[in-house]
Amino acid sequence: MYPALAVHSALTSQHPHLETLWVGGEGGMEEELVNRAGISYRSIPAAGVHGVGLRALPGNIAKLTRGVLASRRIVHEFKPDVLFFTGGFVAAPMAVAGRNIPTVLYVPDIEPGLALKFLSRFADVVTVTAPDSNKYFPHPERIVLSGYPLRSDLSNWSREQATQHFGLDSCKAHPARHRRKQRRALDQHGCAETSRSIIRCGADHSHHRHFGLAGCRKSGAGITRRIKVSLSCTAVFA
């Protein structure tokens, strides 16, 4: 869910009137974090079907069916222009309900799981963390290499400040570890641009008053400059 929160933060920094709806599973642990971020939250029935026993399978299919019906009501009421998914079975009902809505899928893992592969069938754009993910998707023209989105406030911290804040010893005593941390710091700097890339993908597919995002249980600025929206916008995270 943190990648979706990072994308939302980048969107709202440039479009402060953006209205956002996050759609999650019933009893999902993300509800508290989403509410804390000031984002409206709606829950839908959802359950996985891959790898579950025969006893649980009928009930889970019934849950997904109810989830599709609930998602249709949400789409009808909220009228999003773009859906944003980050994976998870809870996204499946919203993907089916919003199959005629432009969709952006973010793939956080190198090798996507079954849910991500299913969601990619509905996606107009698939943004990936690493180029190694490209081979898992049949439509290379839809793939955008974005990296991993991080919250913009993380860029305000230097390695020295973080070390001091957490009371950690200097890395000088461990040169190899120090070099690894430097590489991670460089990776994070690059990732700060990721949210911008993802938002730009959504912008290219949004031509209406509302900008909708639908992200899922996992869970930029340059992208937002290309969003064709009015002063009042909406977004859905699922």
Side-chain angles (χ1 to χ4, degrees):
M1 65 172 294
Y2 290 104
L5 287 173
V7 172
H8 173 265
S9 176
L11 271 172
T12 54
S13 68
Q14 293 198 13
H15 296 270
H17 299 292
L18 180 75
E19 297 175 30
T20 304
L21 178 64
W22 188 297
V23 181
E26 292 178 339
M29 64 179 182
E30 72 270 29
E31 182 174 3
E32 182 180 350
L33 291 174
V34 170
N35 288 333
R36 193 185 306 168
I39 303 173
S40 299
Y41 184 90
R42 292 274 296 273
S43 63
I44 60 172
V49 295
H50 180 65
V52 302
L54 291 177
R55 274 184 154 184
L57 186 59
N60 287 9
I61 292 176
K63 271 190 176 181
L64 286 172
T65 302
R66 295 200 303 273
V68 171
L69 296 176
S71 297
R72 285 177 178 172
R73 289 194 293 270
I74 291 172
V75 168
H76 177 73
E77 295 169 5
F78 197 69
K79 295 179 174 59
D81 292 311
V82 179
L83 302 178
F84 177 56
F85 298 108
T86 58
F89 58 79
V90 73
M94 182 59 70
V96 173
R99 59 186 177 275
N100 295 322
I101 300 173
T103 298
V104 178
L105 171 66
Y106 168 64
V107 180
D109 307 314
I110 299 297
E111 182 175 355
L114 186 64
L116 283 166
K117 290 179 179 178
F118 174 78
L119 293 171
S120 70
R121 301 177 184 179
F122 300 88
D124 297 278
V125 177
V126 178
T127 66
V128 297
T129 304
D132 290 344
S133 298
N134 294 8
K135 60 186 178 184
Y136 297 104
F137 300 101
H139 300 287
E141 71 279 3
R142 300 181 187 176
I143 298 175
V144 174
L145 178 63
S146 65
Y148 192 93
L150 292 177
R151 301 194 316 271
S152 59
D153 58 312
L154 293 180
S155 62
N156 298 328
W157 285 71
S158 66
R159 182 171 58 84
E160 291 74 16
Q161 288 174 319
T163 300
Q164 183 178 4
H165 177 79
F166 290 105
L168 301 176
D169 294 332
S170 172
C171 295
K172 293 181 180 179
H174 306 280
R177 186 184 305 172
H178 178 59
R179 286 194 295 272
R180 287 197 298 271
K181 290 190 175 183
Q182 282 185 318
R183 286 196 294 270
R184 284 198 295 270
L186 288 172
D187 289 342
Q188 289 181 351
H189 176 74
C191 289
E193 303 298 318
T194 296
S195 297
R196 292 190 263 276
S197 299
I198 294 175
I199 300 171
R200 191 156 48 238
C201 295
D204 290 340
H205 289 79
S206 177
H207 304 281
H208 307 287
R209 185 177 65 85
H210 302 303
F211 183 76
L213 300 174
C216 293
R217 294 181 108 157
K218 284 269 186 191
S219 192
I223 293 176
T224 57
R225 64 183 172 80
R226 295 168 63 181
I227 296 179
K228 301 177 179 66
V229 294
S230 69
L231 293 178
S232 177
C233 313
T234 61
V236 176
F237 287 77

